[in-house]
Amino acid sequence: MKLSVPRRTAALAAVAAMALGGLAGTTASAAPATPAGALAAPDIPLANVKQHLADFQSIANANGGNRAHGRPGYKASIDFVKAKLDAAGYTTSVQQFSYNGTTGYNLIADWPGGDPGQVIMAGAHLDSVSSGAGINDNGSGSAAVLETALAVSRAGLKPTKHLRFGWWGAEELGLVGSKYYVNNLPTTERSKFSGYLNFDMIGSPNPGYFVYDDDPTIEQTFKSYFAGLGVPTEIETEGDGRSDHASFKNVGIPVGGLFTGASRVKTSAQVQKWGGTTTAFDRCYHSSCDTTSNINDTALDRNSDAVAHAVWTLSAGSTTPPGPVFENTADVSIPDNGAAVTSTVDVTGVTGNAPSTLKVDVNIVHTWRGDLVVDLVAPDGSVYNLKPYSSSDSADNVIATYTVNASSEVANGAWKLRVQDRAAQDTGYINSFKLTF
Ligand code: DTR
Ligand code: CA
Ligand code: ZN
Ligand code: ZN
């Protein structure tokens, strides 16, 4: 049992703080396949996406068979996705709302960097209906957006625009979570959105390939991707109002998205185009059989890769090679409830200032990480809080990548990772500390 210690009100100084700036428009012309100077998106590994679906299935199995609003399986899904994003260097926040007398949650994840006045957001609803696990509806969209966000992190993407990702609660009850999010965005914030991309049911077992017919630039981005695969697409006609993009469209934000079909029956002409059978695109729509066996792998793979293509293209991201790396792997013991200790890296040979996306890889072994306050101290003594004290975070170890806007700091000099254990019991040590410029 931890001793209660006043929680630090942690002002996370410049750790990917994202203030949003002015409006950026989208052009009506067709988006280039990959803008000049931007690199093509990586392939999204289908196996990774399917692993997320398997994890969603396990969560449902362990929580009454569903991941519905107001049920334990939904909050467990939020916690699952959030943990992966935190470990990948995202700035995450969980937005609570109330509906039908129960608490709902939206998860928002910001990728540090990019123009805060031009926000590209990709999202999916994370809730299922109460009758089942909701693997296609909408584990498929949630998993593809999650894996794309993780791919952004793996690539060290440096987008021109600011990237944000969202997982919505209570969509099945009427787009409740996404409406709450948009309605609580001040008008000035809404006007900074360049676009919102929605992914709801993108792995249907008898799939069609539908593209939302909303913003022309976003629509063309998806269409050209599938054309490059030689896969014909159709305009999604029944989509208006049928998923979370409607919340954004209703306030004037450009939207787009993908869909592989629900209970509607595939026509014979569509069978000619896409294969499959003249039955429902998803015969398990809103049913208990919407499990991991209710997925078409080819559709899930193609659509996951299309998500990444759109995120890379519309944010005009480029993966510039990472700069020099400086690391200290010497173990430094952390006194229990005692004085702060440091691990130092001496940076040399880097001209000018540090970047706005300085990567700080932290590896601390500890049996109750909530005890720890972790700071990055620049050569001139400026302190950047990476992790605040938490009386409730009882998990082990701090193994994370933080992205710090250190652009006001001269690069060369002694950079320190400073760690202090603020509560008695549980001990640990700094295992390693690495800076990538
Ligand atoms: N309402 C969505 C499923 C859905 C039905 N038609 C469309 C069109 C476009 C996107 C999604 C949908 C749900 O049940 O979550
Ligand atoms: Ca893939
Ligand atoms: Zn649904
Ligand atoms: Zn859905």
Side-chain angles (χ1 to χ4, degrees):
M1 180 61 187
K2 299 311 305 168
L3 297 177
S4 63
V5 172
R7 275 180 69 85
R8 289 161 54 91
T9 47
L12 292 179
V15 177
M18 295 315 307
L20 298 170
L23 173 61
T26 52
T27 54
S29 61
T34 302
L39 298 184
D43 173 73
I44 298 298
L46 174 64
N48 292 6
V49 181
K50 293 196 72 168
Q51 183 55 56
H52 301 323
L53 295 184
D55 293 331
F56 290 143
Q57 182 71 61
S58 300
I59 287 170
N61 295 346
N63 290 282
N66 68 71
R67 300 181 304 105
H69 166 77
R71 308 291 183 81
Y74 180 72
K75 182 59 168 58
S77 302
I78 284 277
D79 294 343
F80 167 78
V81 176
K82 183 180 187 295
K84 289 193 175 291
L85 294 163
D86 287 338
Y90 278 83
T91 304
T92 61
S93 61
V94 176
Q95 181 182 49
Q96 284 194 14
F97 58 88
S98 183
Y99 185 78
N100 277 356
T102 47
T103 302
Y105 307 89
N106 293 325
L107 172 63
I108 308 299
D110 282 281
W111 179 241
D115 177 357
Q118 299 184 81
V119 178
I120 288 286
M121 186 172 197
H125 76 84
L126 187 56
D127 63 309
S128 74
V129 291
S130 54
S131 54
I135 298 305
N136 185 38
D137 183 19
N138 183 38
S140 62
S142 296
V145 171
L146 171 59
E147 191 58 27
T148 296
L150 297 178
V152 164
S153 174
R154 288 193 295 264
L157 191 65
K158 291 186 165 63
T160 303
K161 298 179 180 169
H162 176 70
L163 275 181
R164 179 172 298 155
F165 297 89
W167 289 264
W168 310 116
E171 184 273 350
E172 299 289 6
L173 302 173
L175 320 184
V176 176
S178 58
K179 279 179 185 170
Y180 184 85
Y181 174 76
V182 171
N183 292 342
N184 284 276
L185 272 179
T187 310
T188 50
E189 307 299 314
R190 295 176 188 174
S191 61
K192 295 158 192 175
F193 275 76
S194 297
Y196 170 72
L197 315 177
N198 192 62
F199 305 99
D200 183 358
M201 301 181 73
I202 60 170
S204 304
N206 183 28
Y209 292 89
F210 297 98
V211 176
Y212 296 10
D213 61 337
D214 287 290
D215 176 76
T217 299
I218 299 174
E219 178 183 336
Q220 188 55 47
T221 301
F222 285 124
K223 278 180 168 176
S224 56
Y225 182 77
F226 281 102
L229 296 181
V231 175
T233 55
E234 288 187 7
I235 290 304
E236 169 46 44
T237 51
E238 72 159 89
D240 278 357
R242 294 290 303 267
S243 192
D244 295 303
H245 58 300
S247 304
F248 291 80
K249 184 175 182 178
N250 291 342
V251 296
I253 292 173
V255 301
L258 299 173
F259 179 54
T260 48
S263 52
R264 207 174 34 184
V265 171
K266 188 185 280 186
T267 66
S268 51
Q270 290 171 327
V271 169
Q272 288 299 315
K273 190 182 292 184
W274 292 320
T277 56
T278 52
T279 59
F281 291 100
D282 180 353
R283 65 177 184 77
C284 289
Y285 177 59
H286 286 186
S287 306
S288 59
C289 56
D290 188 4
T291 64
T292 47
S293 59
N294 187 47
I295 289 289
N296 177 290
D297 284 0
T298 302
L300 184 63
D301 190 20
R302 286 170 171 171
N303 281 294
S304 298
D305 292 334
V307 174
H309 171 77
V311 164
W312 254 255
T313 299
L314 293 169
S315 68
S318 66
T319 311
T320 48
V325 175
F326 300 85
E327 186 172 21
N328 187 338
T329 57
D331 292 356
V332 180
S333 177
I334 305 165
D336 184 31
N337 196 20
V341 292
T342 59
S343 171
T344 302
V345 292
D346 290 310
V347 174
T348 58
V350 180
T351 54
N353 283 11
S356 61
T357 54
L358 176 64
K359 279 185 71 178
V360 187
D361 287 285
V362 174
N363 187 310
I364 300 169
V365 177
H366 197 278
T367 49
W368 187 298
R369 68 182 176 204
D371 289 2
L372 303 178
V373 173
V374 183
D375 295 314
L376 175 69
V377 184
D380 69 355
S382 305
V383 177
Y384 296 81
N385 179 246
L386 303 178
K387 177 201 161 306
Y389 169 85
S390 161
S391 61
S392 59
D393 186 354
S394 60
D396 293 346
N397 310 331
V398 179
I399 300 173
T401 301
Y402 300 93
T403 300
V404 174
N405 179 354
S407 55
S408 64
E409 306 292 344
V410 172
N412 290 332
W415 291 75
K416 298 179 187 300
L417 182 75
R418 185 174 69 193
V419 182
Q420 186 175 23
D421 182 329
R422 289 279 182 90
Q425 303 166 43
D426 293 294
T427 57
Y429 62 93
I430 300 173
N431 191 21
S432 66
F433 161 46
K434 179 168 74 173
L435 293 179
T436 303
F437 283 75

